[in-house]
Amino acid sequence: MGKKIRHFINLPAIGADTLKGILKHAHALKAEKYNPPQLLEGLSLAMVFDKRSTRTRISFEVAMKQLGGHTVVMGMGEMQIAGSETIEDTSKVLSRFVDAVMLRMSSHENMEELARWATIPVINGMTDQSHPCQIMADLLTIEEKLGGVEGKKIAWFGDYNNVCTTFEQAAPLFGFDLVISTPPDLQPAKLGAHATYIEDAKAAAKDADVIVTDTWVSMGQEGKAIEKFMPYQVNPELMAQAKDGAIFMHCMPIHQNEEVTKDVLNTPASVIYDEAENRLHAQKAILAWCLADAGVRVKKKG
Ligand code: CP
Ligand code: NVA
């Protein structure tokens, strides 16, 4: 039996201890950002996208290169998988060319199928169900800004989407409390451990350590009506409910004056650019973990 391949697709499958170890490594790699250890020298990452991306694409590309590796970037529409080639063949062939693959793929099921055939690590660069790399960067940011995540109250506003559900998965793993405040028709039928639903946005924001939101219209949902989300807009009035020193987070891209008002973005509470930068540091630690036990040689520092 070969070693288990370290896919980074679903946070619960990876486990709390491993995820905490990856975050710890991310802090260390950030501290060494101007002298990055060449952990991934000679290794290659394929990056495949079926949707737009700025942060995910650039942070993975720069992370690989800073750690000594290489990248190949493709739009899924340019690949034979957009014709008649199967997921199985795509996965088996990618596995012969590169050492890991990161995909932004709408269908979570298709990503899991690709991982089943892969002999290299598969990294979830966002599906319609989850965005685990984003949440790792967000937790890194909360640890930096607030000194830790355990016991913190994170309040989510707006759409119940892929980023929110990944916070929900992370809550019991990292021991924070997640409050979800969305229009009532989006109230989750079943909530994860450490998560609660509060319809009233102001009540949900009360004494929160972190106020977080995301677009009301995720990619692929263009044309959706947004009026019902207005009571869940993050504005100064909502921020005033949170704890003193609370931070505002958003995975970006932002739709100003929809899910968040411009005046909130211009306050010191907003940590959105640190959060975006932390995608790079989190990505490095995720790559180092995925590749450390996948039949390729990840260099040890020094
Ligand atoms: N937050 C995030 O994933 O951004 P991109 O869509 O730009 O990659
Ligand atoms: N929920 C958003 C996140 C973008 C990074 C989307 O899926 O489009």
Side-chain angles (χ1 to χ4, degrees):
M1 272 270 286
K3 281 186 173 161
K4 193 166 179 285
I5 299 167
R6 293 183 169 188
H7 299 306
F8 196 88
I9 299 178
N10 298 309
L11 293 180
I14 299 162
D17 289 348
T18 300
L19 292 168
K20 287 175 187 170
I22 294 172
L23 274 193
K24 200 169 164 203
H25 194 197
H27 284 290
L29 288 165
K30 183 166 184 176
E32 292 182 295
K33 70 176 177 178
Y34 297 115
N35 185 22
Q38 298 300 286
L39 301 176
L40 305 181
E41 199 176 335
L43 301 181
S44 300
L45 173 75
M47 305 200 287
V48 178
F49 291 88
D50 75 356
K51 282 181 176 162
R52 297 186 298 271
S53 171
T54 298
R55 281 144 288 269
T56 305
R57 175 172 173 168
I58 297 177
S59 56
F60 267 105
E61 183 141 2
V62 173
M64 272 308 280
K65 289 182 175 160
Q66 286 191 358
L67 298 182
H70 308 272
T71 56
V72 185
V73 189
M74 286 164 295
M76 207 171 277
E78 307 161 78
M79 294 172 66
Q80 297 294 5
I81 197 172
S84 58
E85 191 154 46
T86 61
I87 292 177
E88 177 180 350
D89 280 348
T90 304
S91 181
K92 287 180 174 173
V93 170
L94 281 173
S95 297
R96 299 297 181 103
F97 286 133
V98 293
D99 302 292
V101 57
M102 186 282 293
L103 301 107
R104 171 161 287 184
M105 203 170 182
S106 306
S107 165
H108 197 84
E109 291 73 25
N110 286 353
M111 184 178 291
E112 287 187 326
E113 185 188 342
L114 194 132
R116 275 199 296 282
W117 298 113
T119 55
I120 55 171
V122 173
I123 301 173
N124 178 354
M126 196 178 87
T127 68
D128 288 347
Q129 272 181 39
S130 64
H131 199 358
C133 296
Q134 178 69 53
I135 297 309
M136 292 297 278
D138 289 2
L139 297 177
L140 182 64
T141 311
I142 295 168
E143 286 186 347
E144 273 178 357
K145 302 289 177 191
L146 303 179
V149 289
E150 198 175 340
K152 295 287 184 296
K153 175 177 171 180
I154 301 181
W156 172 276
F157 298 90
D159 195 15
Y160 184 65
N161 67 9
N162 47 1
V163 178
C164 182
T165 53
T166 318
F167 267 118
E168 201 179 333
Q169 291 177 336
L173 299 169
F174 288 89
F176 61 85
D177 294 314
L178 181 69
V179 175
I180 299 172
S181 191
T182 69
D185 61 312
L186 298 180
Q187 176 176 357
K190 203 167 147 257
L191 280 169
H194 285 247
T196 48
Y197 173 83
I198 299 181
E199 183 180 334
D200 181 72
K202 271 194 183 167
K206 190 107 189 72
D207 296 329
D209 298 285
V210 179
I211 300 282
V212 57
T213 188
D214 183 17
T215 180
W216 295 335
V217 185
S218 285
M219 287 182 273
Q221 301 179 343
E222 290 77 9
K224 172 179 174 186
I226 59 170
E227 293 73 27
K228 70 175 178 185
F229 293 105
M230 278 313 291
Y232 301 91
Q233 181 185 65
V234 179
N235 50 36
E237 214 185 333
L238 193 82
M239 286 300 295
Q241 309 301 315
K243 257 189 199 154
D244 283 347
I247 55 174
F248 168 75
M249 301 185 78
H250 190 309
C251 66
M252 305 177 88
I254 285 168
H255 307 76
Q256 276 186 18
N257 299 326
E258 288 186 12
E259 70 270 12
V260 57
T261 56
K262 197 168 177 187
D263 41 10
V264 169
L265 298 170
N266 290 337
T267 62
S270 173
V271 299
I272 55 172
Y273 301 113
D274 292 315
E275 181 183 358
E277 180 191 330
N278 280 338
R279 295 294 307 275
L280 172 64
H281 309 297
Q283 249 61 296
K284 286 183 185 174
I286 291 166
L287 286 163
W289 176 76
C290 287
L291 286 161
D293 199 19
V296 294
R297 193 171 51 92
V298 172
K299 285 196 166 180
K300 292 277 176 287
K301 203 181 162 206

